């Protein structure tokens, strides 16, 4: 009797069903169901369980959002008194068990946001008392069965965000109590059946992102109770009825973007007085934007971008004056149309609630209103690709919530206002391709959230502000096609997030900073068309780079071999510089469509397509171990001869003229130093300056210099590398020192050449170092 008093006798079936349900949940996720055990015999106190007052049977099971997983046990069908089942926001997989159809009393069923697959079980259509059926955000497939029409009491039906396919059954029209229908994000196709005209209680209809087609469904015009209608991202076409606004007077949200609608925006549309959002972007609409939208006082969003609205003429922008009455307006996008005429000053008088404003890609002229800063909550302003003139208003600095300013591809002039530095939340500044002049304001360094900075193709001058290097968030820095001078800041490596750097076609100079190699996120690097010199710094860490252009500079040194191993590299332009030495032949350097090296006169080797001169072959190991007696004599002759020149003051006696003689300079001892240097290079390389190998900028001097240090044995005269005195591994060291004397004598500037006394001293030192000790040993 005591057990009966507590209701333990009539619900053993429910207890067993729940325990079996729990057993299918993985052990690590069962902790939230810890009360489901025999220690808590009164199951009506178990977590998520509600029992009926009379029979103490389970009537509600609410397990939503408990992070449960596993599969749904078929035992769920044994909870025969269940009215409401909520398993939403978990990770249940598998299929929906057919036993769900045994829940004849079920009214509310929610299995949304799980991982369920398979189809909607046919047995479900036996649950004729269902009011709410929610299967959103799963992986359910198959079609929508015509048996769905048997659930005639349905008020809410959500099948969105699944993988349903096929057409909608006409039996859908039997659900005359339906108020909310969500079918978005599936693979449904075909026309909307005309039978839905009977769903006169419908308030919410969501068809977004399917493959529906046909004209705007005529049946929808009959749903006068509709408050929300979204058809975005389908294949609907045709014109909208002129009296559209009279058919659907209760609409608050009308979203029709990304279809194929044609014709004009119905002038009756603004008659829908409660309309809050209207979007018909990316269709084929023509005509004008009705000024009568100004009567829709609750309007918050109006987006018509990507159509053919307007006629590129005066009057196209009259609707902007009318919209100043819409004080709740938050987003306005009329970009990518055919709007023309002058930008009205009334733009600055629009709703202060406006957060997004775009008129880009039109033919709008005039200037940006000086008081644009009145739109105090504006976050995005898009005016790019128009014909705007004048200056950027300084009042932009008042927009403290501003995130994006895009005025690219206009005809704006003046200086970049330093007040932009007040917009500390700015994330994107695009001033590309205008006629801004003056300096890049250092105040931009205050924009610490800036991600994208595009100021290329203007008339900017001065240096790159050091303050820009403090914007650690920068992803893109584009300053190409200006007249910027100075060097690339040395601490550019602070921009760790930089994926794109473009300073091409300026007047920048100096050596590239070593810190460039610290920009490890770099994908694209454009430095071409400047006056950078020196070697390429160590950028071996930029392994993710895809495009590099450093052409048309004065860079020198050898091409780093590690570039060949940049696996993601798609384009490398090293052209028109002063690079020297051997071109790699591995990796990316095997493809001449990826790598460009022309215009570097001192490069050699590489693949045939580069059309470079061959590099000299290295001598054999035996040749590298011998040093000719003849060379020893040559050092002595050179030394004695030069001592004679120095002491006698002989001028202009050696036959290789110094560069200054060609410009009218008088003979001098500096010229003799030059000639003597050429003589040394000729003696030790075996090549005269008139050799057919040389031409243009490729001379005996540059030929020797290109092999200096690393490949000195390659250019040595082979006739003196054998049958001579053996000096072992020191041969390269000796040659290097001798050739260094020759190169220093051949400096282009006379004042940079060695003095006569220094030449003699260097040669004597070399002789004593490499030959005197050997003569002593042989005695």
């Amino acid at each position: 009797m005591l057990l009966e008093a507590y209701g333990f006798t009539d619900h053993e079936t429910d207890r067993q069903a729940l325990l079996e349900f729990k057993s299918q949940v993985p052990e690590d996720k069962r902790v939230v169901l810890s009360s489901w055990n025999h220690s808590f015999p009164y199951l009506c106190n178990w977590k998520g369980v509600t029992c009926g007052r009379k029979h103490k049977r389970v009537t509600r099971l609410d397990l939503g959002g408990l992070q449960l997983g596993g599969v749904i046990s078929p035992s769920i069908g044994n909870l025969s008194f269940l009215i409401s089942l909520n398993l939403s926001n978990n990770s249940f997989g598998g299929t929906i068990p057919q036993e769900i159809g045994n829940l004849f009393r079920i009214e509310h069923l929610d299995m949304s946001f799980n991982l369920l697959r398979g189809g909607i079980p046919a047995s479900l259509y036996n649950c004729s008392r269902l009011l709410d059926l929610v299967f959103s955000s799963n992986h359910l497939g198959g079609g929508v069965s015509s048996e769905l029409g048997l659930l005639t009491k349905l008020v809410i039906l959500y099948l969105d965000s699944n993988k349903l396919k096929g057409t909608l059954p006409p039996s859908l029209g039997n659900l005359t109590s339906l108020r909310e229908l969500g079918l978005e994000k599936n693979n449904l196709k075909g026309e909307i059946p005309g039978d839905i005209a009977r769903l006169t209680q419908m308030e919410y209809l969501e068809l977004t992102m399917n493959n529906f087609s046909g004209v705007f469904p005529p049946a929808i015009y009959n749903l006068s109770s509709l408050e929300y209608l979204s058809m975005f991202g389908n294949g609907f076409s045709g014109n909208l009825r002129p009296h559209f606004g009279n058919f659907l007077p209760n609409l608050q949200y009308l979203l029709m973007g990304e279809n194929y609608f044609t014709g004009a925006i119905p002038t009756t549309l603004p008659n829908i007085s409660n309309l809050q959002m209207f979007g018909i972007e990316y269709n084929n609409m023509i005509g004008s934007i009705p000024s009568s939208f100004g009567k829709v006082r609750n309007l918050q969003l109006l987006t018509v971008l990507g159509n053919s609205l307007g006629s590129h003429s005066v009057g196209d922008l009259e609707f902007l004056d009318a919209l100043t009455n819409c004080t709740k307006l938050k987003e306005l996008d009329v970009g990518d149309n055919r709007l023309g005429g002058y930008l009205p000053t009334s733009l600055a008088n629009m709703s202060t609630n406006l957060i997004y404003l775009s008129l880009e890609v039109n033919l709008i002229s005039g200037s940006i209103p000086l008081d644009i800063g009145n739109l105090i909550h504006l976050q995005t302003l898009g005016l790019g690709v128009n014909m705007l003139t004048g200056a950027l208003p300084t009042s932009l600095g008042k927009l403290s919530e501003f995130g994006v300013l895009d005025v690219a591809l206009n005809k704006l002039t003046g200086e970049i206002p330093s007040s932009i530095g007040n917009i500390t939340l700015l994330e994107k500044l695009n001033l590309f391709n205008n006629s801004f002049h003056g300096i890049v304001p250092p105040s931009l360094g205050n924009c610490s959230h800036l991600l994208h900075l595009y100021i290329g193709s203007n008339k900017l001058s001065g240096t790159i502000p050091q303050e820009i290097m403090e914007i650690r968030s920068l992803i893109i820095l584009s300053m190409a096609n200006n007249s910027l001078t100075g060097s690339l800041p040395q601490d550019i490596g602070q921009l760790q997030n930089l994926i794109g750097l473009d300073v091409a076609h300026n007047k920048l100079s100096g050596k590239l900073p070593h810190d460039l190699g610290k920009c490890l996120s770099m994908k694209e690097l454009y430095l071409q068309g400047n006056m950078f010199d020196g070697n390429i710094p160590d950028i071996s860490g930029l392994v993710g780079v895809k495009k590099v252009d450093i052409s048309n500079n004065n860079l020198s040194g050898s091409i780093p071999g590690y570039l060949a191993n940049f696996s993601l590299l798609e384009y490398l332009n090293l052209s028109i510089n002063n690079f020297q030495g051997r071109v790699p032949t591995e990796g990316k350097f095997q493809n001449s469509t990826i790598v460009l090296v022309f215009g570097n006169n001192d490069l050699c080797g590489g693949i045939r397509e580069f059309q470079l001169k061959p590099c000299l072959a290295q001598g054999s190991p035996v040749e590298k171990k011998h040093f000719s007696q003849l060379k020893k004599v040559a050092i002595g002759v050179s030394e004695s001869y030069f001592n004679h020149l120095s002491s006698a003051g002989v001028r202009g006696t050696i036959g290789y003229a110094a560069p200054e003689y060609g410009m009218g300079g008088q003979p001098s001892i500096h010229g003799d130093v030059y000639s003597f240097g050429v003589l040394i290079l000729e003696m030790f390389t075996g090549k005269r300056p008139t050799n057919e190998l040389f031409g243009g900028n490729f001379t005996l001097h540059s030929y020797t210099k290109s092999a200096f240090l690393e490949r000195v044995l390659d250019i040595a005269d082979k006739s003196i590398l054998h049958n001579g005195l053996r000096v072992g591994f020191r041969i390269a060291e000796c040659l290097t020192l001798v050739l260094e004397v020759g190169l220093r004598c051949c400096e282009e500037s006379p004042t940079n050449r060695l003095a006569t006394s220094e030449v003699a001293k260097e040669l004597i030192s070399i002789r004593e170092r490499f030959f005197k000790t050997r003569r002593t040993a042989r005695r």
Side-chain angles (χ1 to χ4, degrees):
M1 294 294 294
L2 183 61
L3 291 176
E4 292 179 1
Y6 283 96
F8 289 153
T9 58
D10 295 332
H11 54 195
E12 189 59 35
T13 300
D14 291 355
R15 181 197 308 277
Q16 191 60 36
L18 293 175
L19 291 176
E20 288 181 15
F21 179 92
K22 177 182 176 181
S23 70
Q24 297 301 307
V25 175
E27 192 169 349
D28 60 332
K29 295 181 179 293
R30 291 180 196 169
V31 60
V32 294
L33 301 180
S34 59
S35 61
W36 291 26
N37 61 59
H38 295 293
S39 299
F40 294 86
Y42 188 40
L43 64 79
C44 296
N45 287 338
W46 289 3
K47 185 176 182 64
V49 176
T50 302
C51 296
R53 292 182 180 179
K54 184 178 180 180
H55 300 292
K56 304 299 181 184
R57 299 293 299 274
V58 176
T59 57
R60 304 180 68 89
L61 185 58
D62 187 357
L63 304 178
L66 297 184
Q67 299 182 340
L68 301 174
V71 297
I72 300 173
S73 171
S75 67
I76 199 78
N78 293 334
L79 300 174
S80 56
F81 278 75
L82 205 60
I83 296 174
S84 177
L85 174 60
N86 180 8
L87 302 179
S88 64
N89 289 285
N90 285 291
S91 300
F92 288 114
T95 59
I96 301 172
Q98 289 288 341
E99 287 76 6
I100 203 82
N102 296 335
L103 304 178
F104 299 114
R105 294 180 173 87
I106 194 80
E107 296 178 2
H108 309 281
L109 178 57
D110 189 349
M111 294 184 176
S112 60
F113 294 96
N114 279 286
L115 305 171
L116 299 169
R117 60 181 186 272
I120 300 173
S123 62
L124 180 66
Y125 302 121
N126 295 327
C127 302
S128 59
R129 296 186 184 181
L130 267 173
L131 301 175
D132 307 334
L133 177 58
V134 183
F135 284 158
S136 306
S137 298
N138 280 284
H139 303 298
L140 299 175
V144 179
S145 172
S146 60
E147 281 76 16
L148 180 65
L150 298 175
L151 304 179
T152 56
K153 292 186 178 181
L154 273 179
V155 176
I156 295 174
L157 174 59
Y158 284 101
L159 303 176
D160 56 283
S161 303
N162 280 287
K163 298 179 180 180
L164 301 175
K165 57 186 179 180
T167 59
L168 292 181
S171 62
L172 199 63
N174 296 336
L175 310 181
T176 54
S177 298
L178 204 60
R179 292 185 180 179
E180 299 180 21
L181 175 59
L183 299 171
E184 73 269 25
K185 297 181 182 178
N186 280 290
N187 297 311
L188 299 169
K189 63 180 182 179
E191 298 185 2
I192 303 299
D195 300 76
I196 71 163
R198 294 190 286 153
L199 308 184
T200 56
Q201 305 299 311
M202 187 80 75
E203 298 174 355
Y204 179 99
L205 178 57
E206 175 64 91
L207 306 173
T208 294
M209 296 179 68
N210 278 283
N211 298 309
F212 292 123
S213 57
V215 299
F216 183 91
I220 290 181
Y221 289 116
N222 199 51
L223 308 183
S224 59
S225 297
L226 265 183
E227 297 177 1
Y228 180 102
L229 173 60
S230 178
M231 323 172 65
F232 178 90
N234 280 284
F236 293 113
S237 59
N239 294 3
L240 303 179
R241 291 184 183 179
H243 298 293
F244 188 101
N246 299 333
F247 291 117
L248 302 170
N250 294 303
L251 274 179
Q252 298 178 31
Y253 304 90
L254 177 57
L255 306 174
M256 309 172 69
E258 295 200 20
N259 282 284
Y260 301 97
F261 291 120
T262 54
I265 297 174
T267 56
T268 59
L269 196 62
N271 293 344
I272 306 175
S273 58
N274 290 322
L275 194 63
Q276 297 179 32
M277 295 186 179
F278 174 59
I280 196 165
E281 68 274 21
Y282 296 113
N283 279 279
N284 300 308
M285 308 302 291
I286 58 173
S288 62
I289 300 174
S291 295
S292 51
F293 274 117
K295 299 186 302 180
V296 187
R297 299 302 176 91
N298 292 319
L299 193 64
Q300 297 181 31
L301 177 145
L302 175 60
T303 173
V304 297
L305 80 152
N307 284 282
S308 297
L309 297 165
S311 56
H312 291 160
S313 62
V314 176
D316 286 346
L317 300 178
E318 288 181 356
F319 70 94
L320 289 175
D321 291 326
L323 287 178
T324 58
N325 295 321
C326 301
T327 57
K328 296 181 180 180
L329 192 63
K330 294 182 178 180
E331 298 185 35
L332 174 63
D333 194 340
V334 297
D336 198 5
N337 277 286
R338 303 177 70 246
L339 302 174
Y342 285 88
L343 191 64
T345 57
S346 61
L347 192 72
N349 299 325
M350 297 188 73
S351 167
T352 56
N353 291 308
L354 203 62
I355 60 175
Y356 185 98
L357 174 60
S358 175
L359 295 88
E360 60 188 10
V361 195
N362 282 289
L363 281 179
I364 300 171
S365 54
S367 59
I368 302 172
L370 295 177
D371 294 329
I372 195 72
N374 292 344
L375 305 179
I376 56 174
H377 293 298
L378 198 61
Q379 297 177 14
T380 297
L381 177 60
L383 297 172
V385 198
N386 278 290
M387 301 177 66
L388 297 172
T389 55
L392 276 181
T394 58
S395 67
L396 287 168
K398 295 161 55 177
L399 303 177
S400 59
E401 300 177 25
F402 217 19
V404 176
L405 173 60
D406 190 341
V407 293
L409 290 152
N410 277 285
K411 300 179 180 180
L412 297 170
T413 56
E415 297 186 353
I416 300 174
S418 60
S419 62
I420 290 181
N422 298 334
I423 314 171
T424 56
L425 297 180
L426 194 65
E427 294 184 357
K428 178 179 178 180
L429 177 61
N430 191 353
L431 310 181
F432 172 76
N433 204 335
N434 281 280
S435 295
F436 293 112
H437 60 79
I439 65 170
V440 180
S443 62
L444 286 179
N446 297 330
C447 302
S448 57
H449 292 82
L450 200 61
L451 301 174
H452 306 271
L453 177 58
Y454 300 95
I455 54 176
S457 297
N458 281 285
K459 300 178 181 179
L460 299 170
S461 57
T463 60
I464 299 174
Q466 186 66 35
E467 290 80 357
I468 299 292
M469 302 302 111
E470 300 298 323
I471 310 175
R472 307 297 174 86
S473 56
L474 267 180
I475 294 175
I476 301 292
L477 176 57
S478 177
M479 313 173 87
N481 297 296
N482 282 289
S483 297
L484 300 174
T485 55
S487 60
L488 198 59
Q490 292 298 313
D491 52 356
I492 193 168
Q494 294 181 159
L495 305 181
Q496 295 285 310
N497 297 310
L498 201 64
I499 63 173
L501 174 63
D502 188 355
V503 294
H505 303 296
N506 279 284
K507 299 178 181 179
L508 300 170
S509 58
K511 292 179 170 52
L512 296 177
H514 291 291
D515 261 16
L516 191 61
K518 296 181 181 179
C519 300
L520 302 182
S521 300
M522 191 74 73
K523 301 293 183 186
E524 298 187 13
L525 177 62
Y526 301 106
L527 307 175
Q528 70 269 26
N530 284 285
M531 295 177 284
F532 294 120
D533 57 36
N535 295 346
I536 298 175
D538 182 3
I539 58 172
S540 57
L542 309 187
V543 294
V545 73
K546 293 184 177 181
K547 297 180 180 179
V548 177
D549 193 336
I550 55 177
S551 62
N552 282 276
N553 280 286
N554 298 316
L555 297 167
S556 57
S558 59
I559 297 174
Y562 56 75
L563 292 173
N565 300 320
F566 280 10
S567 60
L568 300 179
L569 195 64
E570 299 172 357
Y571 179 75
L572 174 63
N573 193 344
L574 306 171
S575 304
I576 314 179
N577 279 286
N578 299 313
F579 292 119
Q580 305 161 345
R582 188 183 303 271
V583 176
T585 56
E586 303 82 21
K588 297 296 182 179
F589 284 86
Q590 297 178 8
N591 190 338
S592 62
T593 62
I594 291 178
V595 180
L596 304 176
V597 296
F598 65 87
N600 289 278
N601 294 328
D602 293 342
L603 287 178
C604 66
I607 61 174
R608 180 183 302 174
E609 288 81 0
F610 290 153
Q611 299 183 356
L612 299 174
K613 61 182 180 290
C615 297
L616 293 173
Q618 287 203 347
S620 68
V622 174
E623 291 175 326
K624 293 181 181 180
K625 294 181 179 179
H626 296 85
F627 194 70
S628 171
Q629 188 72 27
L630 176 61
K631 193 59 57 180
K632 194 170 53 165
V633 173
I635 289 180
V637 171
S638 300
E639 173 194 334
S640 300
Y641 182 54
F642 201 84
N643 281 334
H644 168 70
L645 287 176
S646 178
S647 61
V650 179
R651 302 289 175 86
T653 57
I654 302 176
Y656 302 118
E660 60 267 24
Y661 293 169
M663 297 184 290
Q666 295 299 314
S668 69
I669 193 66
H670 294 302
D672 290 338
V673 171
Y674 180 90
S675 299
F676 183 74
V678 176
L679 179 63
I680 289 181
L681 300 185
E682 179 182 350
M683 290 172 61
F684 284 81
T685 65
K687 288 184 170 52
R688 297 180 62 81
T690 55
N691 191 292
E692 62 181 3
L693 179 65
F694 308 126
N697 293 327
F698 190 58
T699 63
L700 176 59
H701 180 273
S702 60
Y703 166 76
T704 306
K705 191 174 183 180
S706 67
F708 194 57
L709 295 179
E710 295 182 358
R711 297 189 298 108
V712 69
L713 293 176
D714 290 355
I715 63 171
D717 185 355
K718 299 301 183 291
S719 66
I720 55 174
L721 280 177
H722 59 278
N723 298 326
L725 182 65
R726 181 171 180 166
V727 292
F729 65 87
R730 304 185 71 195
I731 183 172
E733 183 181 357
C734 180
L735 276 172
T736 298
L737 292 173
V738 173
L739 291 176
E740 183 179 21
V741 173
L743 290 171
R744 293 173 68 187
C745 289
C746 294
E747 290 285 350
E748 186 171 342
S749 172
T751 59
N752 290 338
R753 297 169 193 159
L754 287 173
T756 54
S757 59
E758 292 175 324
V759 175
K761 187 186 298 183
E762 291 286 343
L763 290 175
I764 291 172
S765 174
I766 295 170
R767 185 183 66 181
E768 293 294 314
R769 181 173 177 181
F770 290 94
F771 300 103
K772 184 176 180 180
T773 56
R774 291 192 172 271
R775 288 200 300 271
T776 301
R778 295 171 78 178
R779 291 196 190 100

